[in-house]
Amino acid sequence: MHLLRRPLSLLCALLLASPAALPQQTRKSGSFGNWWQGRFTDPFTWREIAPANLSNSNRLEQLLRAGKLYLSLQDTIALALENNLDIELQRFGPKISEADLNRAISGGIARNQGNFINTGTVQVGGDGGGGGNGIVSSGGIESTSQAVTAAATGTSLNVANFDPVFTSTIQHSKTTQPQTTLFNTGTSSLISIRDVSQFSVSKAFVSGTTVSLGFNNFISEQNSGRLDFNPARNVNASIQVQQRLLQGFGFAVNNRNIRIGRNNLKVSGLAFKQQVITTVAGVIARYWDLVAANEDVLVKRQALALNQKLYEDNKKQVEIGTLAPIEIIRAEAEVARSQQELTISETNLLQQETILKNALSRTGVASASLADARVIATDKIRIPETEPIEPIQDLVARAMENRPEVEQSRINIESAKIGLVGTRNALRPSIDAFGRLQNNGLSGSLNALPIPPVPGATNTASLIRNPASVDGFFLGGYGTALGQIFRRNFPDYAVGVTLNVPLRNRAAQSDMVREQLSVRQSEVRFQQQQNQVRVDVQNALISLQQARARYQTATKNRVLQEQTLDAEQKKYGLGASTIFFVIQAQRDLTSAQANEVAALSTYARARNDLERATGQTLAANNINMEEAIQGVVSRPPSTVPGVQ
């Protein structure tokens, strides 16, 4: 093994120069040792990703006062951006795509990653709280455009490794071989000690070129007296270049995975933006549902108060004998009905609060202070006097420009076409040109073993080898062999071409047909998506117009029922009406007020849906995407009413 000392001296020096692995905190920034260690050890050291952040932002505590959570619409949106788990989950998408891009830059194939938009926390749509119906958020996952991977494009054509690869083989062996004749070796049992140390570095380039550098050492020692040099050192240094000429040739083929990886990084960013839009739109819808549910509770309390007053008045009239006792029972039944409706409305409000609190907290309602807190919505639904009129064509154009899923589909089609370059290139025969240059060196020590006599010769005495009988050019140590390499005393050259032609090529043909059909399917789906965007915008605009008309009608009907009840109460006081008509008028007023609240909620939801359909949710609510990415909103919390 001592024969390997010189070939391994350089490798040992490198290893000894590298300092022992130190804990991260003990490394000195900027020191040479730190740079040296990082240079050679970082590629083989895993970096731990920070644990998931499952704690809420301070904003939530700042808005809690005396067991109540005071929320404006802007605070609700800010809490969603900071604490919503659907958004937090989607923040990992761009980071995963960035890791996949680095993998593609190294020549690897990116892993398959789909983009999914979670709508489970706050479902967009659903019945508003004003109608008195129970509201339960249903979970779900909405799939969006899938990121294109190289595994699905150009599968029959591999891309070489762009990272340089160092390969080393070190071997020590001893063999014993019985000999059939003494003529060749001079011994009946040939013992060979062989030390091998081989080093090579190879790297591929996006042009389709592969370069390999090699340095090989073969040192052998035998118990044969026939050898002139024993031990002998065979050393060679080589460079080999291979260039693909048809299949695998060109930048467009070999960097396609990198371009697809960059596109996938864009797609992941758009998927995050889409998740923000979906979550914010859902939170806005639930906030307005909460406002409507609060208004509905007020309506039901007012109805209960009216029925309670009617019951008290009837009770007094029965006591003085001006009213039949049956009217007390009728009024009491109306009070019980109003109480039941109030209980249903209050429980619906509690459901809305729970859904909203769960969407605005990373720990849901696990915190006792948050679970018990009542949500106070400080903003009211306001309907403008006039609705801004904008041509449907402009709304559709804005939607096509701003909706993230449209841009995702467009980028994925582009990536699929990039992948087609590899699939098409795989149809070509494989023709590779190569060239190799190798310099050889040989050195050794004069064989100290005596020359064995030739069997059958008259002189059987062993001879001592005369140094003058061997070529002194090869006598020497390891430096002699290295000098021959650098002087190129014994060069080897080789150039050639390898050809591989699949005679039927059916696999590549099938891949090409399939990939083209997949691209065509994607184009059809993209057209479907564009058509659906137009339908979404049209329906959202119609729904907004309907909601406005419904609110106007509900307002007029509520005013009419207020006047009707007032007239009926006056007639009843004069004895010109009965308790039945008063109760009926009170029911009609309560129904009209509930319909007005429901119409108000429907309008707010329709306006929210139109903003979402046209891709204006972020702009309409002053949402900064950089803050959404970081999960920290710079806008301070709103002032809590009654607290300076």
PDB file of all heavy atoms in Angstrom, residues 127-159:
ATOM      1  N   ASP A 127     -75.982  30.725   1.781  1.00  0.00           N
ATOM      2  CA  ASP A 127     -77.077  31.571   2.216  1.00  0.00           C
ATOM      3  C   ASP A 127     -76.582  32.591   3.212  1.00  0.00           C
ATOM      4  O   ASP A 127     -75.752  32.340   4.054  1.00  0.00           O
ATOM      5  CB  ASP A 127     -78.187  30.728   2.862  1.00  0.00           C
ATOM      6  CG  ASP A 127     -78.842  29.805   1.859  1.00  0.00           C
ATOM      7  OD1 ASP A 127     -78.877  30.194   0.683  1.00  0.00           O
ATOM      8  OD2 ASP A 127     -79.303  28.719   2.250  1.00  0.00           O
ATOM      9  N   GLY A 128     -77.135  33.791   3.104  1.00  0.00           N
ATOM     10  CA  GLY A 128     -76.797  34.839   4.043  1.00  0.00           C
ATOM     11  C   GLY A 128     -77.529  34.668   5.345  1.00  0.00           C
ATOM     12  O   GLY A 128     -78.483  33.939   5.477  1.00  0.00           O
ATOM     13  N   GLY A 129     -77.057  35.382   6.341  1.00  0.00           N
ATOM     14  CA  GLY A 129     -77.656  35.260   7.652  1.00  0.00           C
ATOM     15  C   GLY A 129     -78.992  35.946   7.766  1.00  0.00           C
ATOM     16  O   GLY A 129     -79.766  35.683   8.669  1.00  0.00           O
ATOM     17  N   GLY A 130     -79.314  36.880   6.836  1.00  0.00           N
ATOM     18  CA  GLY A 130     -80.535  37.637   6.976  1.00  0.00           C
ATOM     19  C   GLY A 130     -81.774  36.832   6.758  1.00  0.00           C
ATOM     20  O   GLY A 130     -82.850  37.194   7.211  1.00  0.00           O
ATOM     21  N   GLY A 131     -81.683  35.723   6.022  1.00  0.00           N
ATOM     22  CA  GLY A 131     -82.859  34.942   5.728  1.00  0.00           C
ATOM     23  C   GLY A 131     -83.275  34.023   6.839  1.00  0.00           C
ATOM     24  O   GLY A 131     -84.289  33.349   6.735  1.00  0.00           O
ATOM     25  N   GLY A 132     -82.485  33.979   7.902  1.00  0.00           N
ATOM     26  CA  GLY A 132     -82.836  33.124   9.010  1.00  0.00           C
ATOM     27  C   GLY A 132     -82.452  31.678   8.809  1.00  0.00           C
ATOM     28  O   GLY A 132     -82.844  30.818   9.574  1.00  0.00           O
ATOM     29  N   ASN A 133     -81.672  31.356   7.751  1.00  0.00           N
ATOM     30  CA  ASN A 133     -81.262  29.984   7.499  1.00  0.00           C
ATOM     31  C   ASN A 133     -79.931  29.713   8.184  1.00  0.00           C
ATOM     32  O   ASN A 133     -79.084  30.579   8.320  1.00  0.00           O
ATOM     33  CB  ASN A 133     -81.115  29.724   5.993  1.00  0.00           C
ATOM     34  CG  ASN A 133     -82.433  29.908   5.264  1.00  0.00           C
ATOM     35  OD1 ASN A 133     -83.472  29.541   5.790  1.00  0.00           O
ATOM     36  ND2 ASN A 133     -82.398  30.500   4.096  1.00  0.00           N
ATOM     37  N   GLY A 134     -79.723  28.456   8.601  1.00  0.00           N
ATOM     38  CA  GLY A 134     -78.445  28.084   9.199  1.00  0.00           C
ATOM     39  C   GLY A 134     -77.337  28.125   8.177  1.00  0.00           C
ATOM     40  O   GLY A 134     -77.531  27.771   7.022  1.00  0.00           O
ATOM     41  N   ILE A 135     -76.156  28.552   8.569  1.00  0.00           N
ATOM     42  CA  ILE A 135     -75.009  28.678   7.674  1.00  0.00           C
ATOM     43  C   ILE A 135     -73.902  27.794   8.184  1.00  0.00           C
ATOM     44  O   ILE A 135     -73.420  27.981   9.286  1.00  0.00           O
ATOM     45  CB  ILE A 135     -74.549  30.136   7.597  1.00  0.00           C
ATOM     46  CG1 ILE A 135     -75.685  31.003   7.045  1.00  0.00           C
ATOM     47  CG2 ILE A 135     -73.335  30.294   6.727  1.00  0.00           C
ATOM     48  CD1 ILE A 135     -75.770  32.317   7.674  1.00  0.00           C
ATOM     49  N   VAL A 136     -73.520  26.817   7.403  1.00  0.00           N
ATOM     50  CA  VAL A 136     -72.418  25.925   7.754  1.00  0.00           C
ATOM     51  C   VAL A 136     -71.447  25.917   6.596  1.00  0.00           C
ATOM     52  O   VAL A 136     -71.839  25.674   5.464  1.00  0.00           O
ATOM     53  CB  VAL A 136     -72.917  24.500   8.056  1.00  0.00           C
ATOM     54  CG1 VAL A 136     -71.741  23.608   8.393  1.00  0.00           C
ATOM     55  CG2 VAL A 136     -73.914  24.524   9.215  1.00  0.00           C
ATOM     56  N   SER A 137     -70.169  26.204   6.869  1.00  0.00           N
ATOM     57  CA  SER A 137     -69.161  26.233   5.810  1.00  0.00           C
ATOM     58  C   SER A 137     -68.785  24.815   5.433  1.00  0.00           C
ATOM     59  O   SER A 137     -68.408  24.012   6.266  1.00  0.00           O
ATOM     60  CB  SER A 137     -67.917  26.976   6.297  1.00  0.00           C
ATOM     61  OG  SER A 137     -66.919  26.940   5.325  1.00  0.00           O
ATOM     62  N   SER A 138     -68.896  24.498   4.167  1.00  0.00           N
ATOM     63  CA  SER A 138     -68.530  23.173   3.683  1.00  0.00           C
ATOM     64  C   SER A 138     -67.131  23.214   3.105  1.00  0.00           C
ATOM     65  O   SER A 138     -66.782  24.125   2.374  1.00  0.00           O
ATOM     66  CB  SER A 138     -69.520  22.709   2.601  1.00  0.00           C
ATOM     67  OG  SER A 138     -69.546  23.626   1.545  1.00  0.00           O
ATOM     68  N   GLY A 139     -66.318  22.217   3.453  1.00  0.00           N
ATOM     69  CA  GLY A 139     -64.935  22.188   2.997  1.00  0.00           C
ATOM     70  C   GLY A 139     -64.829  21.700   1.571  1.00  0.00           C
ATOM     71  O   GLY A 139     -65.726  21.080   1.029  1.00  0.00           O
ATOM     72  N   GLY A 140     -63.697  21.982   0.962  1.00  0.00           N
ATOM     73  CA  GLY A 140     -63.468  21.516  -0.395  1.00  0.00           C
ATOM     74  C   GLY A 140     -62.133  21.982  -0.898  1.00  0.00           C
ATOM     75  O   GLY A 140     -61.531  22.895  -0.355  1.00  0.00           O
ATOM     76  N   ILE A 141     -61.659  21.338  -1.970  1.00  0.00           N
ATOM     77  CA  ILE A 141     -60.399  21.726  -2.603  1.00  0.00           C
ATOM     78  C   ILE A 141     -60.680  21.955  -4.074  1.00  0.00           C
ATOM     79  O   ILE A 141     -61.210  21.100  -4.766  1.00  0.00           O
ATOM     80  CB  ILE A 141     -59.336  20.641  -2.427  1.00  0.00           C
ATOM     81  CG1 ILE A 141     -59.015  20.511  -0.953  1.00  0.00           C
ATOM     82  CG2 ILE A 141     -58.106  20.942  -3.238  1.00  0.00           C
ATOM     83  CD1 ILE A 141     -57.716  19.922  -0.609  1.00  0.00           C
ATOM     84  N   GLU A 142     -60.350  23.131  -4.530  1.00  0.00           N
ATOM     85  CA  GLU A 142     -60.579  23.510  -5.912  1.00  0.00           C
ATOM     86  C   GLU A 142     -59.267  23.384  -6.670  1.00  0.00           C
ATOM     87  O   GLU A 142     -58.283  24.040  -6.355  1.00  0.00           O
ATOM     88  CB  GLU A 142     -61.091  24.957  -5.949  1.00  0.00           C
ATOM     89  CG  GLU A 142     -61.207  25.547  -7.336  1.00  0.00           C
ATOM     90  CD  GLU A 142     -61.575  27.020  -7.268  1.00  0.00           C
ATOM     91  OE1 GLU A 142     -62.206  27.433  -6.275  1.00  0.00           O
ATOM     92  OE2 GLU A 142     -61.223  27.754  -8.201  1.00  0.00           O
ATOM     93  N   SER A 143     -59.245  22.494  -7.642  1.00  0.00           N
ATOM     94  CA  SER A 143     -58.007  22.284  -8.397  1.00  0.00           C
ATOM     95  C   SER A 143     -57.845  23.388  -9.411  1.00  0.00           C
ATOM     96  O   SER A 143     -58.796  23.852 -10.011  1.00  0.00           O
ATOM     97  CB  SER A 143     -58.038  20.928  -9.105  1.00  0.00           C
ATOM     98  OG  SER A 143     -59.075  20.896 -10.053  1.00  0.00           O
ATOM     99  N   THR A 144     -56.601  23.812  -9.573  1.00  0.00           N
ATOM    100  CA  THR A 144     -56.286  24.810 -10.575  1.00  0.00           C
ATOM    101  C   THR A 144     -55.335  24.189 -11.579  1.00  0.00           C
ATOM    102  O   THR A 144     -55.100  22.988 -11.565  1.00  0.00           O
ATOM    103  CB  THR A 144     -55.667  26.049  -9.910  1.00  0.00           C
ATOM    104  OG1 THR A 144     -55.409  27.042 -10.910  1.00  0.00           O
ATOM    105  CG2 THR A 144     -54.373  25.700  -9.212  1.00  0.00           C
ATOM    106  N   SER A 145     -54.783  24.989 -12.473  1.00  0.00           N
ATOM    107  CA  SER A 145     -53.919  24.455 -13.516  1.00  0.00           C
ATOM    108  C   SER A 145     -52.730  23.742 -12.897  1.00  0.00           C
ATOM    109  O   SER A 145     -52.096  24.236 -11.968  1.00  0.00           O
ATOM    110  CB  SER A 145     -53.432  25.598 -14.412  1.00  0.00           C
ATOM    111  OG  SER A 145     -54.539  26.243 -15.007  1.00  0.00           O
ATOM    112  N   GLN A 146     -52.416  22.553 -13.423  1.00  0.00           N
ATOM    113  CA  GLN A 146     -51.307  21.763 -12.897  1.00  0.00           C
ATOM    114  C   GLN A 146     -49.985  22.264 -13.470  1.00  0.00           C
ATOM    115  O   GLN A 146     -49.894  22.628 -14.633  1.00  0.00           O
ATOM    116  CB  GLN A 146     -51.492  20.284 -13.276  1.00  0.00           C
ATOM    117  CG  GLN A 146     -52.774  19.677 -12.731  1.00  0.00           C
ATOM    118  CD  GLN A 146     -52.769  19.607 -11.233  1.00  0.00           C
ATOM    119  OE1 GLN A 146     -51.835  19.106 -10.638  1.00  0.00           O
ATOM    120  NE2 GLN A 146     -53.799  20.125 -10.601  1.00  0.00           N
ATOM    121  N   ALA A 147     -48.987  22.280 -12.619  1.00  0.00           N
ATOM    122  CA  ALA A 147     -47.660  22.638 -13.090  1.00  0.00           C
ATOM    123  C   ALA A 147     -47.135  21.553 -14.017  1.00  0.00           C
ATOM    124  O   ALA A 147     -47.285  20.370 -13.766  1.00  0.00           O
ATOM    125  CB  ALA A 147     -46.710  22.817 -11.903  1.00  0.00           C
ATOM    126  N   VAL A 148     -46.553  21.978 -15.120  1.00  0.00           N
ATOM    127  CA  VAL A 148     -46.019  21.031 -16.095  1.00  0.00           C
ATOM    128  C   VAL A 148     -44.640  20.590 -15.645  1.00  0.00           C
ATOM    129  O   VAL A 148     -43.811  21.404 -15.240  1.00  0.00           O
ATOM    130  CB  VAL A 148     -45.949  21.678 -17.493  1.00  0.00           C
ATOM    131  CG1 VAL A 148     -45.308  20.729 -18.485  1.00  0.00           C
ATOM    132  CG2 VAL A 148     -47.353  22.056 -17.961  1.00  0.00           C
ATOM    133  N   THR A 149     -44.384  19.310 -15.674  1.00  0.00           N
ATOM    134  CA  THR A 149     -43.079  18.786 -15.303  1.00  0.00           C
ATOM    135  C   THR A 149     -42.431  18.124 -16.499  1.00  0.00           C
ATOM    136  O   THR A 149     -43.093  17.683 -17.429  1.00  0.00           O
ATOM    137  CB  THR A 149     -43.194  17.749 -14.168  1.00  0.00           C
ATOM    138  OG1 THR A 149     -43.925  16.619 -14.651  1.00  0.00           O
ATOM    139  CG2 THR A 149     -43.924  18.337 -12.972  1.00  0.00           C
ATOM    140  N   ALA A 150     -41.129  18.051 -16.447  1.00  0.00           N
ATOM    141  CA  ALA A 150     -40.400  17.408 -17.534  1.00  0.00           C
ATOM    142  C   ALA A 150     -40.701  15.931 -17.610  1.00  0.00           C
ATOM    143  O   ALA A 150     -40.515  15.300 -18.642  1.00  0.00           O
ATOM    144  CB  ALA A 150     -38.897  17.625 -17.355  1.00  0.00           C
ATOM    145  N   ALA A 151     -41.162  15.359 -16.509  1.00  0.00           N
ATOM    146  CA  ALA A 151     -41.492  13.941 -16.522  1.00  0.00           C
ATOM    147  C   ALA A 151     -42.645  13.649 -17.470  1.00  0.00           C
ATOM    148  O   ALA A 151     -42.814  12.533 -17.936  1.00  0.00           O
ATOM    149  CB  ALA A 151     -41.851  13.478 -15.111  1.00  0.00           C
ATOM    150  N   ALA A 152     -43.441  14.690 -17.762  1.00  0.00           N
ATOM    151  CA  ALA A 152     -44.579  14.505 -18.656  1.00  0.00           C
ATOM    152  C   ALA A 152     -44.293  15.025 -20.050  1.00  0.00           C
ATOM    153  O   ALA A 152     -45.158  15.013 -20.906  1.00  0.00           O
ATOM    154  CB  ALA A 152     -45.809  15.223 -18.081  1.00  0.00           C
ATOM    155  N   THR A 153     -43.105  15.543 -20.287  1.00  0.00           N
ATOM    156  CA  THR A 153     -42.777  16.094 -21.596  1.00  0.00           C
ATOM    157  C   THR A 153     -41.402  15.607 -22.010  1.00  0.00           C
ATOM    158  O   THR A 153     -40.421  15.789 -21.297  1.00  0.00           O
ATOM    159  CB  THR A 153     -42.783  17.634 -21.545  1.00  0.00           C
ATOM    160  OG1 THR A 153     -41.904  18.044 -20.509  1.00  0.00           O
ATOM    161  CG2 THR A 153     -44.160  18.185 -21.269  1.00  0.00           C
ATOM    162  N   GLY A 154     -41.336  15.023 -23.150  1.00  0.00           N
ATOM    163  CA  GLY A 154     -40.046  14.553 -23.629  1.00  0.00           C
ATOM    164  C   GLY A 154     -39.503  13.414 -22.800  1.00  0.00           C
ATOM    165  O   GLY A 154     -38.324  13.366 -22.474  1.00  0.00           O
ATOM    166  N   THR A 155     -40.368  12.460 -22.468  1.00  0.00           N
ATOM    167  CA  THR A 155     -39.952  11.411 -21.539  1.00  0.00           C
ATOM    168  C   THR A 155     -38.888  10.499 -22.118  1.00  0.00           C
ATOM    169  O   THR A 155     -38.135   9.881 -21.371  1.00  0.00           O
ATOM    170  CB  THR A 155     -41.175  10.576 -21.142  1.00  0.00           C
ATOM    171  OG1 THR A 155     -41.820  10.098 -22.329  1.00  0.00           O
ATOM    172  CG2 THR A 155     -42.164  11.413 -20.363  1.00  0.00           C
ATOM    173  N   SER A 156     -38.833  10.374 -23.424  1.00  0.00           N
ATOM    174  CA  SER A 156     -37.889   9.425 -24.010  1.00  0.00           C
ATOM    175  C   SER A 156     -36.499  10.014 -24.213  1.00  0.00           C
ATOM    176  O   SER A 156     -35.627   9.349 -24.731  1.00  0.00           O
ATOM    177  CB  SER A 156     -38.439   8.925 -25.353  1.00  0.00           C
ATOM    178  OG  SER A 156     -38.608  10.011 -26.252  1.00  0.00           O
ATOM    179  N   LEU A 157     -36.305  11.260 -23.832  1.00  0.00           N
ATOM    180  CA  LEU A 157     -35.004  11.907 -24.017  1.00  0.00           C
ATOM    181  C   LEU A 157     -34.521  12.433 -22.675  1.00  0.00           C
ATOM    182  O   LEU A 157     -35.116  13.341 -22.107  1.00  0.00           O
ATOM    183  CB  LEU A 157     -35.119  13.057 -25.030  1.00  0.00           C
ATOM    184  CG  LEU A 157     -33.822  13.802 -25.338  1.00  0.00           C
ATOM    185  CD1 LEU A 157     -32.814  12.877 -25.974  1.00  0.00           C
ATOM    186  CD2 LEU A 157     -34.096  14.997 -26.225  1.00  0.00           C
ATOM    187  N   ASN A 158     -33.464  11.865 -22.174  1.00  0.00           N
ATOM    188  CA  ASN A 158     -32.937  12.279 -20.881  1.00  0.00           C
ATOM    189  C   ASN A 158     -31.958  13.427 -21.052  1.00  0.00           C
ATOM    190  O   ASN A 158     -31.315  13.576 -22.090  1.00  0.00           O
ATOM    191  CB  ASN A 158     -32.250  11.108 -20.181  1.00  0.00           C
ATOM    192  CG  ASN A 158     -33.223  10.006 -19.830  1.00  0.00           C
ATOM    193  OD1 ASN A 158     -34.364  10.276 -19.467  1.00  0.00           O
ATOM    194  ND2 ASN A 158     -32.779   8.762 -19.937  1.00  0.00           N
ATOM    195  N   VAL A 159     -31.836  14.223 -20.010  1.00  0.00           N
ATOM    196  CA  VAL A 159     -30.881  15.320 -19.984  1.00  0.00           C
ATOM    197  C   VAL A 159     -29.761  14.944 -19.033  1.00  0.00           C
ATOM    198  O   VAL A 159     -30.008  14.426 -17.944  1.00  0.00           O
ATOM    199  CB  VAL A 159     -31.556  16.635 -19.537  1.00  0.00           C
ATOM    200  CG1 VAL A 159     -30.540  17.756 -19.461  1.00  0.00           C
ATOM    201  CG2 VAL A 159     -32.681  16.998 -20.502  1.00  0.00           C
TER     202      VAL A 159
END
